[in-house]
């Protein structure tokens, strides 16, 4: 039984839907749930919501953080906020999974202060799924993994190869892929014109002969092909790519709807309407819960700022699956095995602009 620690101070309706998701989960799922936030407000709200009081607990966080605040300011000015309190609870419990729709920067900064980092991991990575044309693995998973999508904006070659090891270990557990195919996101089919960090990572991945299959570089216009199970990049590029994929999906849905309105025959309208519904269901991020933050000794799932009940429920289910499949242990083992083959990560080179 997993212990889900849920931040109730973020998400749709000021966190109200996060609380409602926790109440539903306490009735439907076999997990212990701790809701973090203003204890008085949570207790008053729960009095009006059906829930299992034996499975749902409340942990008080006296401070509240605003989503647009700088992470360092939040941790300094609101030290007992729901993110910090939730991460502290998770740190004390090996079965705990922390779920939050708070600002990713604050979650990452808090995790760096509170949670133990997996040995061999210089920086953490947020991993997101995206749909592909071809399925993956024996369960025909229709989604591939992209990391990093925002946790570490400035990356070194060491970061990228470690992200590759973490992403492959995650995919091997979640999608049951024995030997995941891993690619580096590049600006061409070859590595010659890629940044130094990507060229270094490419060289090390070719030389390491890791437990996963390194398939080389992949361009952004090929990421949805399904040629790779895991795509690795820095947090800035990954976030831009993920938002672009989401925007293209939304644009495609709008164009189909516009075309449907122009059809004058019923069958055509019905066919396009069915297509629109299928696209919406396939690309709706709320169906997949959130992005796991990989690199720490506890599971952390980050959901989008406007998450509703469905997104939180699916994030809870994802967190419970990560716990059940012992994904964090697999990630730790994958990183250790990779660096045992390719050598430990080196200290980052000094920034010439800082001297």
């Amino acid at each position: 039984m997993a212990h889900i620690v849920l931040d109730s101070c973020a998400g749709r309706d000021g966190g109200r839907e996060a609380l409602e998701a926790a109440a539903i989960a306490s009735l439907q799922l076999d997990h212990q749930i701790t809701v973090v936030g203003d204890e008085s407000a949570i207790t008053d709200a729960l009095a009006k919501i059906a829930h299992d009081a034996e499975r749902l607990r409340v942990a008080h966080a006296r401070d509240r953080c605003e989503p647009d605040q700088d992470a360092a300011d939040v941790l300094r000015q609101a030290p007992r906020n729901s993110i910090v309190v939730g991460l502290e609870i998770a740190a004390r419990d090996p079965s705990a999974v922390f779920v939050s729709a708070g600002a990713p920067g604050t979650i990452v900064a808090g995790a760096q202060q509170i949670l133990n980092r997996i040995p061999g991991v210089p920086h953490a990575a947020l991993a997101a799924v995206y749909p592909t044309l071809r399925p993956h693995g024996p369960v025909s998973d229709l989604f591939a993994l992209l990391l990093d999508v925002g946790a570490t904006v400035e990356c070194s070659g060491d970061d990228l190869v470690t992200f590759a090891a973490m992403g492959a270990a995650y995919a091997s557990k979640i999608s049951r892929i024995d030997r995941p195919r891993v690619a580096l996101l590049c600006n061409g089919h070859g590595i010659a014109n890629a940044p130094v960090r990507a060229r270094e990572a490419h060289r090390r991945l070719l030389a390491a002969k890791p437990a996963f299959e390194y398939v080389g570089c992949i361009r952004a216009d090929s990421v949805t092909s399904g040629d790779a199970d895991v795509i690795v990049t820095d947090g800035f590029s990954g976030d831009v790519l993920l938002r672009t994929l989401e925007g293209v999906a939304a644009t495609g849905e709008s164009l189909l709807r516009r075309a449907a309105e122009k059809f004058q025959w019923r069958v055509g309208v019905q066919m396009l309407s069915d297509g629109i519904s299928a696209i919406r269901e396939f690309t709706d991020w709320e169906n997949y819960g959130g992005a796991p933050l990989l690199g720490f000794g506890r599971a952390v799932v980050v959901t989008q700022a406007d998450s509703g009940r469905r997104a939180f429920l699916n994030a809870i289910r994802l967190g419970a699956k990560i716990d059940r499949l012992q994904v964090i242990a697999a990630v730790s083992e994958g990183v250790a095995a990779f660096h045992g083959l390719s050598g430990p990560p080196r200290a980052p080179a000094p920034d010439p602009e800082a001297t």
Side-chain angles (χ1 to χ4, degrees):
M1 180 168 57
H3 177 195
I4 306 298
V5 183
L6 181 66
D7 175 10
S8 71
C9 294
R12 200 170 299 160
D13 196 15
R16 169 79 182 194
E17 296 205 20
L19 183 58
E20 292 175 353
I24 294 169
S26 73
L27 296 169
Q28 295 182 353
L29 305 178
D30 187 24
H31 304 299
Q32 183 64 51
I33 300 171
T34 298
V35 179
V36 185
D38 185 318
E39 184 174 13
S40 176
I42 292 172
T43 301
D44 290 345
L46 285 175
K48 305 171 186 176
I49 304 173
H51 67 281
D52 185 342
E54 293 294 321
R55 293 193 181 277
L56 198 155
R57 303 170 183 168
V58 179
H60 181 60
R62 71 166 187 261
D63 298 330
R64 189 174 183 90
C65 51
E66 299 302 324
D68 56 349
Q69 275 186 289
D70 178 76
D73 291 340
V74 170
L75 297 179
R76 183 176 61 254
Q77 298 171 8
R80 303 306 299 164
N81 64 74
S82 56
I83 292 173
V84 168
V85 173
L87 287 169
E88 288 177 347
I89 295 171
R92 296 191 295 267
D93 185 353
S95 68
V97 178
F98 179 61
V99 177
S100 176
T106 302
I107 297 171
V108 173
Q112 289 171 341
Q113 288 189 6
I114 297 165
L115 301 180
N116 291 327
R117 194 174 298 170
I118 291 173
V121 176
H123 297 98
L126 274 169
V129 295
Y130 63 94
T132 59
L133 295 174
R134 288 201 298 277
H136 303 261
V139 296
S140 295
D141 192 341
L142 295 175
F143 296 86
L145 194 71
L146 173 67
L147 74 165
D148 177 25
V149 295
T152 305
V153 174
E154 296 288 344
C155 288
S156 66
D158 287 325
D159 288 316
L160 294 178
V161 297
T162 305
F163 293 171
M166 293 197 296
Y170 184 90
S172 70
K173 284 291 188 179
I174 296 295
S175 300
R176 304 180 193 174
I177 305 173
D178 289 336
R179 190 171 169 80
R181 298 163 301 163
V182 178
L184 275 176
L185 181 66
C186 293
N187 55 342
H189 293 297
I191 197 67
N193 296 320
V196 172
R197 61 179 179 270
R199 297 202 301 271
E200 178 188 345
H202 175 74
R203 175 183 57 78
R204 291 181 61 185
L205 288 167
L206 283 176
K209 307 297 182 188
F212 51 87
E213 179 185 357
Y214 176 56
V215 296
C217 299
I218 190 168
R219 295 195 324 188
D221 59 353
S222 299
V223 297
T224 57
S225 66
D227 291 338
D229 306 305
V230 178
I231 294 180
V232 174
T233 188
D234 62 90
F236 178 82
S237 301
D239 188 35
V240 171
L241 176 58
L242 185 64
R243 303 301 177 186
T244 301
L245 292 171
E246 292 173 348
V248 169
T251 300
E253 181 181 331
S254 296
L255 290 174
L256 275 176
R257 186 180 295 108
R258 189 180 304 172
E261 293 171 354
K262 292 183 178 181
F263 274 102
Q264 300 300 315
W265 58 93
R266 179 175 296 180
V267 174
V269 172
Q270 183 61 48
M271 290 176 63
L272 279 177
S273 296
D274 292 344
I276 291 171
S277 297
I279 289 176
R280 184 186 298 114
E281 183 70 16
F282 193 56
T283 60
D284 187 352
W285 59 267
E286 289 208 352
N287 288 331
Y288 316 113
L293 178 62
L294 302 178
F296 298 103
R298 294 289 185 272
V300 177
V301 177
V302 180
T303 67
Q304 294 203 27
D306 60 342
S307 292
R309 280 185 299 274
R310 183 158 50 95
F312 279 112
L313 275 170
N314 286 323
I316 290 169
R317 292 188 178 99
L318 174 61
K321 185 176 183 180
I322 290 172
D323 176 72
R324 184 178 74 255
L325 297 179
Q326 299 183 323
V327 171
I328 300 304
V331 169
S332 180
E333 292 167 4
V335 170
F338 178 83
H339 287 309
L341 292 169
S342 66
R346 299 187 297 274
D351 185 353
E353 297 183 359
T355 58

